[in-house]
Amino acid sequence: MLKFAIDHPVILSVAILILSLFGILSIFNIPVQMIPDLDARVISIRTIWPGASPQDVEKEILVEQERYLRRISGLERMVSTANTGSAEIELEFPFSIGIEEALLNVNNALSQVPGYPENVDQPSIRAEAFSSNSFMYFRLMPISGDFTEEDILKLRDWAEEYVQTPMERVAGVSSVGMRGGASRQIKIYVDPAKLAERGIRLMDLRTAIRDRNRDVSGGDLDSGKRRYLLRTIGRFESVEDLENLVIAERDGAFILLRDIGHAELGFGEVRSYAYSEGKPVLAFSVSRQIGSNVIEIKRDMLATVERLNQGLLKNKGLQLVRTADDVVYVTDAVFVVQRNLAIGALLALGVLFLFLRSIPATLIGAIGIPICTLAAFLGFLITGRTLNVISLAGVAFAIGMTLDNNIVVLENIYRHLSMGKQRLQAALDGVREVWPAVLAATLTTVCVFLPIIFIEEEAGQLYSDIAIAIAASILMSMIVAITLVPAAAGRLLHSHNSRTSLLSRLGAALGRGVIVSVHGLTRGILRPLATIVIVLAATFAIIYYLTPDAEYLPEGEESKIFTLMFAPPGYNIQMMREAFRTVDKDFVHAVGQDPAVFERGDSEVPA
C-alpha cells in the first residue's frame, strides 16, 4: 500500500479529492444547532378541567390515571400535581428505554382510563427535553391602537386557524403554542324561578341540550333500484336554533329554552393573558423537531410570517412581530468557534514551520488539516449528529492532533534525505520505519475517545460529538500520513542544510537544554526521588487548592433577564394578572428608552 501510494500519486490524489467532495457535501446536509439533541427521560402529561378544584382534579383525574400509569414497565419515578383546573403528571424513565417506546406505553396506559368528567380535555403527552423547548417567539398585535384588549382576546379562534396553522406547517416545526385570548362559547342563561314554576331541573335542561345537539345516522333505505343513506340532522346551526329547543312538555304544551331563559354567543373563560411592552397581544412560541436545522427553520418561518403580514394580517390591521429567538445565539456561537478553529489552524501551521523550518515540508504537513476536518464532518453525517458548539469544538481539538502523525512521518523522511538517499527511496524507507508507531498512536487515541459514544446518559449524548470528530479526524490523519504525505514528500521535499539558520540554532539550543536538564534530574538517587516527590506534591496541591467548583454545564451569559413570579395557591388568573400589571408598569416605560436617561439618573430602570 505504501509503495502503491508513492508510485501512483495521481490515483491517490483522485481518491482523496472524491473523499473531500463527500466531506464538503456533508457540511450542507448536517443540521445546525446550539448544542446536541438530548434524548428525553421525562414524559409530561397535562389534563385540563376548567374551573375544577384541586381536590376534584385529584379524585377524578389523577387517581384514575395513576392506577394505569404505575403499571408501565421501566418507570422509575412518577410525580403528580393537582392544580385549579389542571392535572400534571411527570414520568421518568431510564436512558435504556427508548423515548418512542415510553411514549407508546404511556399512551396505551392512558387509553385504558375508563372516562373523564364531561368537560375535561383529552390529556396531552409530550417528551420533556432541552430539544423540545421553544426557540422562537412571536406576538400578534395591532398595527395601530384601534384594537382594545377585549378585541385581542376575541381573536384566539381566528388566530388558531389562520395564523397558528400556517406557522405549524413550516418544515421542521414540531408545534406552535399560543397564549392569550379566549375561545368562542355559547352561554345559556336561565331563570331559576321559571325552572321551578315548570318543574324542570338543571339536569333535565342539560340532558335535553346534549341529546339534541348531535347528528345521528339512520341507516340506509332501499327503494327500487336505489339505496338511500339516512341521517338525522340535530346539531344547532345558530343561537336561535338553540333557543327554540324543546326542553319538556307540560299539560300538552311544549316548553322551549327561550321560555325559561336565553342563549348568546360569547367567549369562554380566559385561561392566559399575554402582554408585550405593556400592550395585550397573542403570544406564539415555536418548538422544533429533534434533528432539525434551526437556521433553516428560522429562515422559512420568517418568510411565512412576512407572507402573513403582507396579506391576511395587513387586511385585518394586525401584524406578527418577532419577540425573540435563540437562533441568534446559535449563529454567533458557531461563528466564534469557526473563527477560533481558523486561528488554531494558523497557529498549528506556525508551530509546524518552526520545527520543520521548510516551506515545502510545512505545506506537506498542512495537507492533512482540511482533509481531516472534512473527514470529521463526514463522520457527523454518517452518525446522524449535528453541527453545534460542542461538535465544532471537537473539530478544533482534532486539528492539532491530526498534525502529529504528519510530523512524525515527515521528520523521519527528512532524516533519510539527510543520509543522501533519493527522494522516493527516502519517503518509502521513512514511512516504513514509523508506520507501526503511527498506527499504535492513532488506535490508542481512538480507544480513549470512542467509549464516550456508548454512554447512554446525557453526558455521553453531549460529548459524543467530540469523540466522533476526533476519532474520524485521527483515523483520516493516519491514512494521510502513511499515503499522501510520503507521496508528496517523494516528489516535493528537498534536502537542504539549514543548520546555520537562526531557527535551527534556537531549536538545537532548546534541545540541548532539555537533555541537560533531564540528565541533571536523573543523576544519582536523591535527585530522582526528590523530583518525584515534588511533582506528586505539586499535583495534589493543585487538585486540592485549585480545583474549581463542579457544575454540569458551564454558565453562559445571554442578553436577557427572566423574572418569574409565583402566586400563592388558590389565586385566580385575574389576581395574578393584576400583580403582573403592578410590576410591569415600573418597567414598560424603559422599553426603547435612551440609555443616557438612566446614566443621568433621570430613570431608575436602564433602557
Side-chain angles (χ1 to χ4, degrees), residues 31-50:
V32 181
Q33 299 170 3
M34 184 67 176
I35 68 171
D37 284 322
L38 301 180
D39 292 337
R41 290 187 62 194
V42 177
I43 292 179
S44 177
I45 304 171
R46 181 178 174 84
T47 309
I48 302 296
W49 188 4

Side-chain angles (χ1 to χ4, degrees), residues 540-590:
F540 286 116
I542 291 174
I543 293 175
Y544 184 78
Y545 291 105
L546 300 181
T547 300
D549 297 332
E551 289 185 0
Y552 183 65
L553 287 175
E555 294 183 357
E557 294 185 359
E558 292 187 87
S559 57
K560 302 186 219 176
I561 295 177
F562 296 90
T563 303
L564 301 178
M565 296 189 298
F566 296 93
Y571 270 36
N572 57 43
I573 190 172
Q574 297 298 334
M575 187 64 190
M576 292 188 286
R577 175 191 177 204
E578 292 303 321
F580 155 73
R581 299 184 73 171
T582 302
V583 178
D584 187 56
K585 68 180 182 181
D586 295 329
F587 297 98
V588 68
H589 69 273

Side-chain angles (χ1 to χ4, degrees), residues 136-273:
M136 291 187 73
Y137 303 88
F138 294 87
R139 62 183 185 270
L140 181 65
M141 57 188 301
I143 299 176
S144 60
D146 298 336
F147 285 73
T148 63
E149 182 169 5
E150 185 178 356
D151 295 332
I152 296 295
L153 292 177
K154 293 179 180 179
L155 285 172
R156 182 178 180 91
D157 286 316
W158 182 87
E160 284 181 352
E161 182 175 356
Y162 297 103
V163 179
Q164 186 179 17
T165 301
M167 295 175 69
E168 288 180 329
R169 286 201 298 262
V170 174
V173 172
S174 171
S175 62
V176 177
M178 182 167 61
R179 289 184 177 273
S183 301
R184 286 184 298 175
Q185 187 179 79
I186 293 180
K187 298 181 179 181
I188 300 175
Y189 299 89
V190 294
D191 188 341
K194 293 181 179 180
L195 283 176
E197 180 183 345
R198 291 164 174 79
I200 299 175
R201 300 176 302 169
L202 279 176
M203 291 301 298
D204 298 333
L205 174 62
R206 177 185 178 186
T207 302
I209 295 175
R210 289 180 55 191
D211 293 343
R212 168 69 168 77
N213 188 34
R214 59 179 179 174
D215 297 337
V216 180
S217 174
D220 55 78
L221 176 65
D222 294 335
S223 177
K225 62 180 180 180
R226 293 186 178 275
R227 168 172 293 183
Y228 297 93
L229 298 179
L230 305 180
R231 187 163 64 102
T232 303
I233 305 299
R235 288 189 178 274
F236 301 119
E237 298 292 338
S238 63
V239 175
E240 290 74 16
D241 291 343
L242 180 59
E243 290 184 337
N244 292 327
L245 170 66
V246 175
I247 304 299
E249 180 185 3
R250 295 292 185 269
D251 300 328
F254 292 115
I255 300 174
L256 307 181
L257 176 61
R258 64 168 177 261
D259 297 330
I260 57 175
H262 70 280
E264 63 181 35
L265 179 61
F267 291 87
E269 178 186 357
V270 179
R271 297 180 181 176
S272 62
Y273 289 93

Side-chain angles (χ1 to χ4, degrees), residues 2 6 409 412-414 416-417 421-434 481-482 485-491 493:
L2 305 177
I6 295 175
V409 173
N412 203 46
I413 293 175
Y414 199 87
H416 282 274
L417 276 175
K421 295 183 179 180
Q422 296 295 323
R423 289 180 296 178
L424 294 179
Q425 189 63 39
L428 187 59
D429 293 342
V431 73
R432 277 176 176 170
E433 288 182 355
V434 299
I482 64 177
V485 169
R491 299 288 190 293
L493 200 60

Side-chain angles (χ1 to χ4, degrees), residues 499-512:
R499 298 288 182 182
T500 59
S501 65
L502 178 61
L503 290 177
S504 299
R505 293 197 300 270
L506 289 176
L510 178 62
R512 288 194 298 271

Side-chain angles (χ1 to χ4, degrees), residues 262-369:
H262 70 280
E264 63 181 35
L265 179 61
F267 291 87
E269 178 186 357
V270 179
R271 297 180 181 176
S272 62
Y273 289 93
Y275 292 88
S276 177
E277 301 179 9
K279 300 176 182 178
V281 298
L282 294 181
F284 298 88
S285 55
V286 181
S287 301
R288 66 179 181 85
Q289 298 174 357
I290 293 180
S292 56
N293 192 324
V294 294
I295 296 179
E296 292 181 356
I297 295 176
K298 177 181 178 180
R299 181 193 62 209
D300 297 340
M301 181 61 70
L302 292 181
T304 300
V305 169
E306 180 64 21
R307 186 168 61 252
L308 290 172
N309 283 336
Q310 295 301 323
L312 182 67
L313 296 180
K314 184 177 181 180
N315 298 332
K316 202 171 179 64
L318 299 169
Q319 61 179 343
L320 263 176
V321 180
R322 183 179 55 177
T323 303
D325 69 78
D326 295 336
V327 184
V328 176
Y329 297 99
V330 176
T331 53
D332 290 347
V334 170
F335 172 75
V336 169
V337 175
Q338 289 174 340
R339 183 187 61 190
N340 294 340
L341 193 150
I343 295 174
L346 292 177
L347 292 176
L349 287 178
V351 174
L352 189 63
F353 177 76
L354 181 65
F355 282 91
L356 296 179
R357 302 178 297 278
S358 169
I359 292 179
T362 302
L363 295 178
I364 293 174
I367 290 175
I369 293 180

